[in-house]
């Protein structure tokens, strides 16, 4: 197997093939040249034997020249004899016997032939009467001198030598043929057969790899299908995701048979609180159940997709308003999760998309704008998209983009509304309210920019910026005029849940001359009573431990559980203006008296918000409400105006509230 592995090396395999081809080529060339030499030797043998025979024949013809007196013929015979002699001398066929015959002995043939040629020349040149003696000498040289026998013997020897050379070449060719045969057999066994085995091994491996590759391709196709499914579907619910839904909307609107398509964007209301209440696993089960219920509300050719944590998109060919009603009705039924009923409401934004009017992403975005409008209106309802909603959303987005820079640039400033002790008319402090002095839109109240802060995640930064500015102004009043009013700081739910709340607040107060007793943090009922955030509970306890007073804002709006008031470190509650406005109406009177009695029993101060008339102030004082706040005392005002207000009113008690028409209108 190891040798086959070496043969599989292309460089070595071709090297061996080249060597084998070279050997075969060399042998063929040798055979070719030996065969050529053999043919040439045969021609040479025939020519040599013929020349030697001619030499013998010419010698006899020359010896008979006595009877032929033709001069030209004699000269030609002699010249031919001499040429034949020199031709044999220059030949390559010389055996030992020929050399012995030609050059050995007392009278070698090499010397007798020149004498014969010399006599033949003399015979040709001699006159006719002088020729007989020369002829006699020639005949004696041929006969008794043994020249004729020697020439015949030379002819035989030349033939034998040539045939011997032919035999040698023939034997050499036979040897080459045998070597070639062995070389071919050796190459077959040593090169071509191992190469054949190696090639078979390669083919086996290729077949095995082909099988593995085929299996891998099938596995790859399965993986690609799985990846495609994962890329286009939600792993929890198995529903299509946003990318799939976007493509589906585009394909549907490109289909000639579909001129319009209903698109609904469904979002669950308060799902974060539900998630915290029932746990993540049960929340996942709830999302799966919601997905199933949504699918049950549409036809098979409609599509339901999960596009966010608690958001779904549906497409339908029926009027989307009809489907929205059916969805709201279906979602009103409780879900059974882990053996208990879980209620979850939904908000819906919907629209009808027409072919060629908008891109799929824009359609989804518009439906999302309608969904946000439905949530902003309190949830559990369906809102159809309109351009007005888009303009409002664009305006909200612009506010979000501008708000961050506004906080950094100090455009968000604190305004102050006085709080008065109703018993003696002294100044208790002021609630700090936020205002945005926008360079283009003018002065904006919180209801205009707080939603933008919430969407942009800037609520915490906004609160701390207002707090820091308010503490700075309060410190200036304290140092300059000696006034030490308490300042009530509004804390949003996100701020109360901030892990760095205590650190940032104490660091801010550490650099000021304010006492902790001058700081009041107002927290909404929803934050204190229904909030499940552990960090919020920790921060509330930490604020109380630091000596900072906590008040429950907007009490009476229907959120708080009275039984939990004793469990919270509160210093007071703030009655919502909706309870104060009807006073001294009999129905409102009984509610307010009950709350005041409960607060007195719990040792809580009560601040009445929205006091606008002298009658309301006197009534609340009679009911032993301690503090009043409202337009009857003063409107919210910027820091400079509040400082002037302090200088005018802080030194003299206010018996009761002013009449509304006596209050200078503040922006």
């Amino acid at each position: 197997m190891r040798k086959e592995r070496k043969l599989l090396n292309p460089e070595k395999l071709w090297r061996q093939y080249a060597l084998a081809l070279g050997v075969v080529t060399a042998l063929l060339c040798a055979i070719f040249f030996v065969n050529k030499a053999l043919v040439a030797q045969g021609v040479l043998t025939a020519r040599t034997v013929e020349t030697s025979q001619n030499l013998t024949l010419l010698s006899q013809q020359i010896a008979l020249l006595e009877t032929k007196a033709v001069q030209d013929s004699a000269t030609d015979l002699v010249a031919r004899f001499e040429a034949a002699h020199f031709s044999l001398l220059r030949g390559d066929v010389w055996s030992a016997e020929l050399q012995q015959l030609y050059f050995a002995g007392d009278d070698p043939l090499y010397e007798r032939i020149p004498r014969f040629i010399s006599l033949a020349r003399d015979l040709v040149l001699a006159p006719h009467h002088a020729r007989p003696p020369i002829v006699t000498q020639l005949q004696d040289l041929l006969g008794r001198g043994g020249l004729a026998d020697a020439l015949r013997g030379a002819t035989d020897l030349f033939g034998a030598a040539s045939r011997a050379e032919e035999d040698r070449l023939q034997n050499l060719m036979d040897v080459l043929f045998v070597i070639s045969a062995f070389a071919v057999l050796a190459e077959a066994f040593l090169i071509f057969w191992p190469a054949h085995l190696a090639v078979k091994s390669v083919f086996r491996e290729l077949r095995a790899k082909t099988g593995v590759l085929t299996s891998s391709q099938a596995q790859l196709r399965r993986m690609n299908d799985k990846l495609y499914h994962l890329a286009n579907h939600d792993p929890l619910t198995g529903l299509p995701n946003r990318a799939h839904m976007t493509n589906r909307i585009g394909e549907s609107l490109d289909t000639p048979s579909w001129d319009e398509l209903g698109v609904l964007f469904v979002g669950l209301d308060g799902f974060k609180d539900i998630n915290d209440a029932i746990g993540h696993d049960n929340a996942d089960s709830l999302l799966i159940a919601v997905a199933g219920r949504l699918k049950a509300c549409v036809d098979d050719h409609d599509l339901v997709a999960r596009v966010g944590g608690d958001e779904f998109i549906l497409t339908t060919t029926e009027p989307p308003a009809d489907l929205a009603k059916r969805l709201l009705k279906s979602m009103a039924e409780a879900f059974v999760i882990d053996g208990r009923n879980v209620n979850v409401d939904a908000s819906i934004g919907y629209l009808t998309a027409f072919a060629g009017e908008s891109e799929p992403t824009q359609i989804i975005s518009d439906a999302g704008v309608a969904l946000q409008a439905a949530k902003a209106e309190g949830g559990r309802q369906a809102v159809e998209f309109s351009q007005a909603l888009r303009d409002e959303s664009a305006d909200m987005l612009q506010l979000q983009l501008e708000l961050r820079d506004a906080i950094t640039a100090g455009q968000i400033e604190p305004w102050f509304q006085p709080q008065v002790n109703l018993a003696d008319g002294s100044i208790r402090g002021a609630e700090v309210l936020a205002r945005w002095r926008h360079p283009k839109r003018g002065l904006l109240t919180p209801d205009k920019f707080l939603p933008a802060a919430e969407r942009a995640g800037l609520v915490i930064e906004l609160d701390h910026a207002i707090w820091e500015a308010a503490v700075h102004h309060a410190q200036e009043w304290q140092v300059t005029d000696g006034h030490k009013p308490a300042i009530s700081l509004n804390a949003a739910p996100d701020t109360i849940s901030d892990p760095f709340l205590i650190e940032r607040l104490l660091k801010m107060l550490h650099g000021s001359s304010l006492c902790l007793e001058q700081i009041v943090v107002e927290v909404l009922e929803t934050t204190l009573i229904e909030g499940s955030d552990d960090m919020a509970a920790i921060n509330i306890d930490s604020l109380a431990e630091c000596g900072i007073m906590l008040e429950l804002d907007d009490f009476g709006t229907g959120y708080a559980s009275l039984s939990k008031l004793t469990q919270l470190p509160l210093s007071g509650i703030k009655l919502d203006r909706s309870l104060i406005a009807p006073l001294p109406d009999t129905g409102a009177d009984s509610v307010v008296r009950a709350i005041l009695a409960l607060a007195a029993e719990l040792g809580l101060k009560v601040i009445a918000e929205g006091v606008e008339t002298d009658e309301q102030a006197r009534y609340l004082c009679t009911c032993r409400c301690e503090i009043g706040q409202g337009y009857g005392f003063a409107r919210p005002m910027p820091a400079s105006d509040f400082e002037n207000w302090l200088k005018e009113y802080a030194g003299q008690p206010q018996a009761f509230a002013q009449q509304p028409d006596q209050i200078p209108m503040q922006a």
Side-chain angles (χ1 to χ4, degrees), residues 508-556:
M508 178 180 63
L509 295 176
H510 180 72
S512 71
S513 58
L514 300 182
C515 300
L516 293 177
E517 292 78 9
Q518 292 179 257
I519 304 298
V520 179
V521 175
E522 294 187 8
V523 186
L524 295 173
E525 282 185 319
T526 52
T527 303
L528 284 180
I529 305 300
E530 295 184 351
S532 58
D533 192 334
D534 293 338
M535 197 67 241
I538 293 173
N539 283 338
I540 289 170
D541 291 338
S542 299
L543 287 172
E545 291 174 1
C546 291
I548 296 175
M549 291 184 289
L550 285 169
E551 292 180 354
L552 191 60
D553 196 10
D554 295 338
F555 186 82

Side-chain angles (χ1 to χ4, degrees), residues 343-414:
N343 292 291
V344 56
D345 295 321
S347 298
I348 302 175
Y350 66 91
L351 55 82
T352 300
F354 297 94
E357 286 190 356
S358 300
E359 294 294 326
T361 53
Q362 184 63 43
I363 293 171
I364 293 175
S365 177
D366 290 343
V369 169
L371 171 63
Q372 294 302 321
K375 286 181 175 291
E377 293 179 10
R380 199 163 55 182
Q381 58 185 303
V383 173
E384 184 176 11
F385 171 79
S386 65
Q387 187 58 42
L389 292 178
R390 167 60 66 186
D391 295 340
E392 182 180 343
S393 176
D395 185 65
M396 177 66 69
L397 179 59
Q398 184 64 30
L399 281 178
Q400 293 179 45
L401 297 176
E402 295 173 349
L403 186 56
R404 188 179 300 275
D405 293 334
I407 294 174
T408 304
Q411 295 176 4
I412 310 297
E413 58 185 53

Side-chain angles (χ1 to χ4, degrees), residues 357-496:
E357 286 190 356
S358 300
E359 294 294 326
T361 53
Q362 184 63 43
I363 293 171
I364 293 175
S365 177
D366 290 343
V369 169
L371 171 63
Q372 294 302 321
K375 286 181 175 291
E377 293 179 10
R380 199 163 55 182
Q381 58 185 303
V383 173
E384 184 176 11
F385 171 79
S386 65
Q387 187 58 42
L389 292 178
R390 167 60 66 186
D391 295 340
E392 182 180 343
S393 176
D395 185 65
M396 177 66 69
L397 179 59
Q398 184 64 30
L399 281 178
Q400 293 179 45
L401 297 176
E402 295 173 349
L403 186 56
R404 188 179 300 275
D405 293 334
I407 294 174
T408 304
Q411 295 176 4
I412 310 297
E413 58 185 53
W415 281 39
F416 301 87
Q417 186 174 26
Q419 295 177 340
V420 178
N421 291 311
L422 295 177
D424 57 9
S426 61
I427 303 302
R428 186 254 189 174
E431 181 182 4
V432 179
L433 303 169
R435 296 291 186 271
W436 181 0
R437 199 171 293 278
H438 196 282
K440 296 181 180 180
R441 304 178 189 230
L443 191 67
L444 301 180
T445 53
D447 59 304
K448 299 295 192 302
F449 61 84
L450 275 183
E454 292 172 354
R455 293 189 185 184
L458 295 173
V459 172
I460 297 176
E461 296 301 321
L462 179 64
D463 278 353
H464 283 288
I466 294 296
W467 292 2
E468 189 170 354
V471 168
H472 174 73
H473 289 300
Q475 183 180 357
E476 287 185 349
W477 304 329
Q478 185 167 299
V479 173
T480 304
D481 303 320
H483 300 302
K484 297 183 179 180
I487 54 175
S488 297
L489 307 175
N490 287 288
D494 288 345
T495 304
I496 290 295

Side-chain angles (χ1 to χ4, degrees), residues 110-171:
Y110 179 74
E111 294 179 354
R112 282 182 283 175
I113 291 177
R115 287 202 305 271
F116 182 82
I117 294 173
S118 177
L119 290 173
R121 287 177 180 171
D122 292 342
L123 178 64
V124 172
L125 296 175
H128 184 73
H129 64 274
R131 290 181 176 178
I134 298 174
V135 171
T136 301
Q137 293 180 10
L138 288 173
Q139 292 177 349
D140 288 341
L141 185 58
L142 285 173
R144 288 189 297 271
L147 179 59
D149 294 335
L151 290 176
R152 285 192 294 270
T155 299
D156 294 337
L157 290 176
F158 273 116
S162 297
R163 285 190 294 273
E165 183 64 19
E166 289 181 7
D167 292 341
R168 186 185 68 81
L169 291 175
Q170 184 63 50
N171 292 334

Side-chain angles (χ1 to χ4, degrees), residues 87-396:
S87 175
L88 291 175
L89 290 178
R90 288 193 300 269
D92 296 329
V93 184
W94 285 92
S95 63
E97 291 81 0
L98 281 173
Q99 291 180 356
Q100 180 71 23
L101 177 65
Y102 261 83
F103 304 105
D106 295 335
D107 190 14
L109 188 59
Y110 179 74
E111 294 179 354
R112 282 182 283 175
I113 291 177
R115 287 202 305 271
F116 182 82
I117 294 173
S118 177
L119 290 173
R121 287 177 180 171
D122 292 342
L123 178 64
V124 172
L125 296 175
H128 184 73
H129 64 274
R131 290 181 176 178
I134 298 174
V135 171
T136 301
Q137 293 180 10
L138 288 173
Q139 292 177 349
D140 288 341
L141 185 58
L142 285 173
R144 288 189 297 271
L147 179 59
D149 294 335
L151 290 176
R152 285 192 294 270
T155 299
D156 294 337
L157 290 176
F158 273 116
S162 297
R163 285 190 294 273
E165 183 64 19
E166 289 181 7
D167 292 341
R168 186 185 68 81
L169 291 175
Q170 184 63 50
N171 292 334
L172 179 59
M173 182 175 290
D174 294 339
V175 170
L176 289 176
F177 273 119
V178 173
I179 294 175
S180 298
F182 277 106
V184 170
L185 290 175
E187 290 173 355
F189 281 101
L190 298 179
I191 297 177
F192 295 106
W193 179 250
H196 169 70
L197 295 178
V199 170
K200 288 182 63 177
S201 175
V202 170
F203 275 112
R204 285 196 300 270
E205 292 185 6
L206 286 176
R207 283 193 293 270
K209 291 180 179 179
T210 300
V212 173
L213 182 59
T214 302
S215 176
S216 299
Q217 288 176 339
Q219 185 177 2
L220 183 60
R221 283 193 297 270
R222 290 193 297 270
M223 291 180 63
N224 286 336
D225 293 341
K226 185 176 181 180
L227 288 175
Y228 178 80
H229 186 273
L230 291 176
N232 289 275
H233 290 79
D234 172 49
L236 176 64
T237 62
L239 295 177
N241 58 15
R242 180 183 291 268
H244 192 175
M245 173 58 78
T246 302
N247 293 333
R248 176 65 176 272
I249 293 176
E251 292 172 358
S252 298
L253 294 178
D254 289 340
T255 302
S257 59
W258 284 14
D259 295 330
E260 60 183 50
L261 182 70
V263 179
L264 298 89
F265 207 133
V266 180
L268 304 183
D269 297 334
F271 183 74
K272 181 180 182 301
D273 295 335
I274 296 175
N275 187 23
D276 294 338
I278 66 176
H280 295 296
D281 292 339
N282 288 331
D284 288 344
S285 300
L286 176 60
L287 288 173
I288 295 173
V290 169
R293 189 169 292 184
L294 293 177
K295 290 182 66 177
C297 291
V298 298
D299 296 331
D300 293 338
H301 58 269
D302 295 330
L303 188 67
V304 179
R306 183 186 180 208
V307 296
D310 58 351
E311 294 179 338
F312 302 83
I313 292 180
L314 297 83
T315 60
T316 180
T317 55
E318 67 175 297
D322 296 344
L323 178 58
K325 293 178 182 178
R326 193 161 64 252
L327 290 174
L328 290 175
K329 183 178 180 181
S330 176
M331 293 296 295
E333 299 179 10
F335 293 88
V336 179
I337 305 297
D338 194 23
R340 58 177 173 172
N341 292 335
V342 177
N343 292 291
V344 56
D345 295 321
S347 298
I348 302 175
Y350 66 91
L351 55 82
T352 300
F354 297 94
E357 286 190 356
S358 300
E359 294 294 326
T361 53
Q362 184 63 43
I363 293 171
I364 293 175
S365 177
D366 290 343
V369 169
L371 171 63
Q372 294 302 321
K375 286 181 175 291
E377 293 179 10
R380 199 163 55 182
Q381 58 185 303
V383 173
E384 184 176 11
F385 171 79
S386 65
Q387 187 58 42
L389 292 178
R390 167 60 66 186
D391 295 340
E392 182 180 343
S393 176
D395 185 65
M396 177 66 69

